[in-house]
Amino acid sequence: MQPRKIAIANQKGGVGKTATALGLASAVSAKGGKVLVIDADSQGNATNGLGVTVDAGMLTTYHLMNSTAEGSAADAVVATEWEGVDLIPADEELGKIESDGSNDLVFRLDIAFEGLDLSPYDIVLFDCAPSLGKVLFAVLIAADGVVAVTEPTIDSVQGVEKLDETIRTVRKRANPKLAFDKVVLSRRRNTGEHIFREQELRDSYGDLVARTIIPELAARQDAHSLRQPIHQFRGGRALSLQTAYSDLLTELAILSGGAQ
């Protein structure tokens, strides 16, 4: 059985997309599962967080999108130090794709996965760049579902609305199977503003907003800096983050084959 391919997305930066992608990868790993993370951000934060350095000659997401080659993603997969977590890395070279005018550009990533047996993995996670550019469109064409990650701020509803519009556009024109799985509230603090904005999102999107909330805790950045899975990190109230990501994994039903 092929795993679902989920894009972790929001055009706004600094909302916790990479932390959510790696937090879910850590949760799957902690349960003995296997994950493929695809770094689709030229900043390479997921690549760095998984302890991978892009060396000369290493294939990256850029190379998958710089040519049209069926099944080429298999050659770009590298193992990481995290148990059960593999990676297709990215670096700043991926930024060149936005200026590529090729007619088939946004389909190349999907073609790169065509014909591949991904059944050894429980889930494939795309860590997307903070933009609504060509790379995101390519990811959404290749993906089965989208998890929008947002901080509960004044811009959060608008950001989710823009992503929702993009998903609808891709669904109509290129990928009718694409689902909007969940909106995940990340970096939440117990302030009046965050409480109000959370309610605003829930009023607007109802059950699409995940019950699980990812709190803003220093352990998230500390674990990332040490390139450790959050489920192996100790200190800084890491247990709260471990519980949150494990609960989110359950809510998304990733290990049972689909979103709830």
Side-chain angles (χ1 to χ4, degrees):
M1 181 177 176
Q2 293 287 84
R4 293 186 79 235
K5 300 190 288 292
I6 298 178
I8 310 295
N10 191 324
Q11 81 278 3
K12 191 174 186 299
V15 297
K17 291 187 297 296
T18 300
T20 302
L22 297 188
L24 286 170
S26 176
V28 173
S29 174
K31 290 182 178 293
K34 193 164 184 182
V35 188
L36 174 61
V37 175
I38 296 130
D39 197 340
D41 185 351
S42 61
Q43 296 178 79
N45 289 331
T47 299
N48 181 60
L50 287 167
V52 173
T53 300
V54 177
D55 296 321
M58 183 181 289
L59 295 180
T60 67
T61 308
Y62 166 76
H63 295 98
L64 302 186
M65 294 191 65
N66 194 44
S67 63
T68 305
E70 183 178 330
S72 59
D75 298 323
V77 176
V78 297
T80 76
E81 295 179 359
W82 292 24
E83 184 70 28
V85 181
D86 290 342
L87 170 73
I88 295 178
D91 60 9
E92 66 277 359
E93 198 170 25
L94 183 59
K96 299 176 184 177
I97 290 298
E98 295 298 334
S99 60
D100 189 322
S102 302
N103 291 333
D104 67 342
L105 175 67
V106 294
F107 298 99
R108 289 176 179 172
L109 194 58
D110 189 38
I111 293 169
F113 283 91
E114 193 168 319
L116 294 189
D117 178 14
L118 297 173
S119 61
Y121 299 104
D122 294 285
I123 191 67
V124 176
L125 297 172
F126 291 89
D127 183 33
C128 297
S131 76
L132 294 176
K134 294 177 182 177
V135 175
L136 177 63
F137 270 85
V139 170
L140 297 184
I141 290 171
D144 301 304
V146 181
V147 171
V149 179
T150 184
E151 189 176 354
T153 65
I154 192 170
D155 300 322
S156 57
V157 172
Q158 184 179 17
V160 173
E161 286 175 349
K162 288 181 179 179
L163 181 58
D164 192 10
E165 290 173 5
T166 302
I167 292 169
R168 291 175 189 273
T169 298
V170 172
R171 190 183 293 148
K172 285 180 181 179
R173 298 182 180 179
N175 185 5
K177 73 178 186 296
L178 184 65
F180 196 167
D181 289 342
K182 284 294 180 184
V183 177
V184 175
L185 294 169
S186 177
R187 304 189 65 178
R188 185 190 182 278
R189 300 183 298 278
N190 196 28
T191 65
E193 169 71 5
H194 277 206
I195 292 169
F196 176 81
R197 298 302 174 186
E198 176 188 344
Q199 190 58 52
E200 186 177 46
L201 273 167
R202 293 191 186 279
D203 289 344
S204 297
Y205 287 94
D207 291 341
L208 187 64
V209 181
R211 298 183 301 274
T212 305
I213 295 171
I214 310 300
E216 171 70 344
L217 295 171
R220 178 186 63 85
Q221 184 58 47
D222 292 343
H224 184 81
S225 297
L226 292 172
R227 300 175 176 178
Q228 284 187 2
I230 190 63
H231 288 75
Q232 293 182 13
F233 186 76
R234 299 294 179 265
R237 295 177 62 193
L239 181 59
S240 294
L241 285 169
Q242 294 166 14
T243 300
Y245 289 123
S246 294
D247 287 350
L248 182 59
L249 181 71
T250 299
E251 188 171 354
L252 293 174
I254 284 173
L255 293 183
S256 59
Q260 293 177 329

